[in-house]
Amino acid sequence: MSESTQLPVPAPLSASLTDAQSDIRDGASASSTDNTCGSGPVPDHTPDQPRDEVRVFRGVPPSGQRPPCALTIGNFDGVHLGHQAMLAALRAAAERLSLKPTVMVFEPHPREYFAQLQQRPELAPARIASLRDKLTSLDEAGVERVIVQRFDAALASMPPEEFIRQILVEGLNVRWLLVGDDFRFGARRAGNLDTLREAGARLGFEVVSLPTVSADGQRISSSAIRTALAEGDFAQAKKLLGHPYMIGGHVIHGRKLGRTIGYPTMNLGVAPGQTSLSGIFVVQVHGLGPQPLAGVASLGVRPTIEDAGRVLLETYIFDFSGDAYGKLVRVEFLKKIRDEAKFVDLPTLIAAIDRDVDHARAWFDTTHRVQSDLATSATDRI
Ligand SMILES: Cc1cc2nc3c(=O)[nH]c(=O)nc-3n(C[C@H](O)[C@H](O)[C@H](O)COP(=O)(O)O)c2cc1C
Ligand SMILES: Nc1ncnc2c1ncn2[C@@H]1O[C@H](COP(=O)(O)OP(=O)(O)OP(=O)(O)O)[C@@H](O)[C@H]1O
């Protein structure tokens, strides 16, 4: 490897990442270089041993900022239990070998890129979590550097050997590399574990593979979680994720029609492609008080009142009358009640919402009394 070799220039990121990064900056600590940004308030990993704040790079870091690293590569959508096992192994190796624990993720998701290329948006996987949530989860797992690598024509057509030399070795100074046993990379997915092992022996980095992490005999994967979510099976999604499925964001202003029909709602914007969910759900809301608050949510475009509405997540929180505008909250999905519908008029919509609320209250009362007990009025807690 020579110092003068041309490295890929950190490219400006796609629109979706730019949005996510401005999101990240909302609650962020300051950027330290032109192509880094903080990922928000960073909890210390262990109270007695504070670690460095995670740094996020768009593309490979500038020369001079490439300490030897322990690396893993993937999409990490949802940061599920398989990913968490990878990250635990990464962190342990980094500590043992005094390397920077580093993760490379792709933006957009490679399947999103190919779907766009073929003009078949339906082939793009619906995201389980936003980039912001992904960075937060990686940070909480002890990752110190995240490389957000732009997935574009140049990367898609890069031969495996070039990816290893330019990006892994010269760009990231990799010394220890962890991948899953099914890992494929490079043009036409020609590179695999053997390609990496052979290159590692030649170029001076160790390659380790993690055996498959399964639940009930099924490999845990982002795809399996997407399927569970599409089926409204939140218990299964939670089992594979290791945490409940939630959509987070800042509370925004709606049309304020809800309060006039007896159902004021807390609204969150949902980015295109962020979720494939749609319908009416039993939920609980985190972030408005010390305990989650029970409610019922509508996720969709509200066909009864708007012709071409954007996707909104609207939650009617039971027994809540505080002001939530601007707050950062997370809505946890517990059960699907029904699909979104276009009603003939407002009274029919209100009657349907009455039934949704009864349904959700009954669910909390009978099935999950504990959650219901926790989720009483928060007005005095805010
Ligand atoms: C539990 C619940 C169920 C809803 N179901 C539907 C529905 O099936 N179809 C629809 O067009 N809008 C539905 N909505 C959305 C309402 O149209 C919307 O909340 C109301 O118009 C208030 O909008 P605002 O928040 O902009 O004031 C539902 C809202 C809630 C809270
Ligand atoms: N269940 C698992 N057990 C072991 N390794 C895993 C598991 N799931 C993912 N990995 C590894 O974690 C890294 C990141 O995974 P990635 O997010 O790209 O895959 P995935 O979860 O299988 O997603 P998808 O279903 O969209 O392909 C890869 O190296 C992958 O091989």
Side-chain angles (χ1 to χ4, degrees):
M1 169 179 46
S2 110
E3 282 285 312
S4 60
T5 307
Q6 189 74 38
L7 291 165
V9 176
L13 295 171
S14 66
S16 61
L17 179 56
T18 310
D19 291 349
Q21 290 213 308
S22 51
D23 236 18
I24 294 159
R25 278 188 216 105
D26 283 353
S29 44
S31 306
S32 47
T33 69
D34 282 347
N35 67 338
T36 69
C37 61
S39 77
V42 178
D44 287 346
H45 204 71
T46 46
D48 52 341
Q49 199 185 0
R51 62 181 174 77
D52 289 344
E53 180 177 287
V54 68
R55 293 181 69 189
V56 182
F57 294 85
R58 310 178 200 201
V60 297
S63 54
Q65 293 188 45
R66 298 171 186 164
C69 77
L71 178 73
T72 187
I73 306 172
N75 293 301
F76 290 90
D77 190 12
V79 191
H80 56 61
L81 286 174
H83 295 146
Q84 288 168 37
M86 301 273 293
L87 297 171
L90 175 79
R91 190 155 186 263
E95 261 169 32
R96 182 166 45 84
L97 302 167
S98 303
L99 300 170
K100 284 273 178 208
T102 304
V103 172
M104 174 184 279
V105 299
F106 300 107
E107 258 320 309
H109 189 294
R111 295 220 300 277
E112 229 167 87
Y113 167 80
F114 289 115
Q116 228 169 14
L117 201 66
Q118 297 168 49
Q119 297 184 319
R120 307 250 334 253
E122 73 280 7
L123 296 181
R127 296 207 181 200
I128 300 166
S130 64
L131 177 61
R132 175 203 186 102
D133 292 339
K134 185 187 298 189
L135 295 174
T136 302
S137 300
L138 294 174
D139 173 42
E140 285 169 359
V143 174
E144 288 181 24
R145 303 185 133 212
V146 180
I147 313 302
V148 182
Q149 182 65 42
R150 187 175 186 194
F151 197 90
D152 55 10
L155 197 72
S157 60
M158 193 178 270
E161 184 65 24
E162 209 175 312
F163 179 81
I164 293 169
R165 268 190 182 279
Q166 279 197 15
I167 295 188
L168 301 189
V169 175
E170 294 170 11
L172 295 176
N173 199 2
V174 65
R175 299 294 166 87
W176 188 90
L177 175 64
L178 175 68
V179 291
D181 46 14
D182 65 339
F183 185 68
R184 297 275 184 284
F185 66 101
R188 290 184 297 284
R189 294 167 53 83
N192 60 20
L193 199 53
D194 290 339
T195 323
L196 287 170
R197 287 222 162 100
E198 185 278 317
R202 240 183 320 116
L203 299 170
F205 61 92
E206 185 182 349
V207 179
V208 175
S209 111
L210 187 82
T212 290
V213 179
S214 303
D216 299 335
Q218 182 199 17
R219 177 185 169 82
I220 297 174
S221 67
S222 300
S223 307
I225 294 160
R226 289 186 195 108
T227 304
L229 291 176
E231 291 167 354
D233 191 346
F234 297 112
Q236 175 69 1
K238 182 176 177 177
K239 188 169 172 183
L240 303 178
L241 281 166
H243 53 84
Y245 175 69
M246 304 198 199
I247 291 181
H250 288 103
V251 179
I252 58 172
H253 290 268
R255 291 185 12 169
K256 305 201 174 12
L257 175 66
R259 61 189 64 181
T260 69
I261 61 173
Y263 290 110
T265 53
M266 180 199 78
N267 298 344
L268 300 183
V270 178
Q274 189 180 332
T275 181
S276 57
L277 284 186
S278 146
I280 315 305
F281 302 89
V282 180
V283 299
Q284 54 185 7
V285 178
H286 300 254
L288 290 178
Q291 304 292 350
L293 302 177
V296 60
S298 153
L299 175 55
V301 293
R302 308 177 305 163
T304 310
I305 55 156
E306 281 189 77
D307 280 340
R310 63 192 173 124
V311 179
L312 276 185
L313 173 57
E314 295 189 280
T315 307
Y316 169 62
I317 307 171
F318 306 148
D319 315 315
F320 173 77
S321 56
D323 177 2
Y325 290 122
K327 291 202 158 95
L328 185 59
V329 301
R330 288 174 305 156
V331 177
E332 176 182 346
F333 289 77
L334 298 167
K335 182 181 184 272
K336 181 162 181 176
I337 301 175
R338 64 174 170 91
D339 287 332
E340 188 177 40
K342 184 175 168 89
F343 293 103
V344 287
D345 55 23
L346 220 46
T348 324
L349 169 66
I350 296 168
I353 299 178
D354 288 343
R355 288 193 297 276
D356 297 331
V357 170
D358 288 347
H359 185 131
R361 282 192 188 277
W363 188 88
F364 278 110
D365 282 348
T366 56
T367 325
H368 290 255
R369 182 168 291 283
V370 176
Q371 277 151 311
S372 181
D373 286 345
L374 291 175
T376 50
S377 171
T379 320
D380 51 350
R381 294 200 193 112
I382 296 175

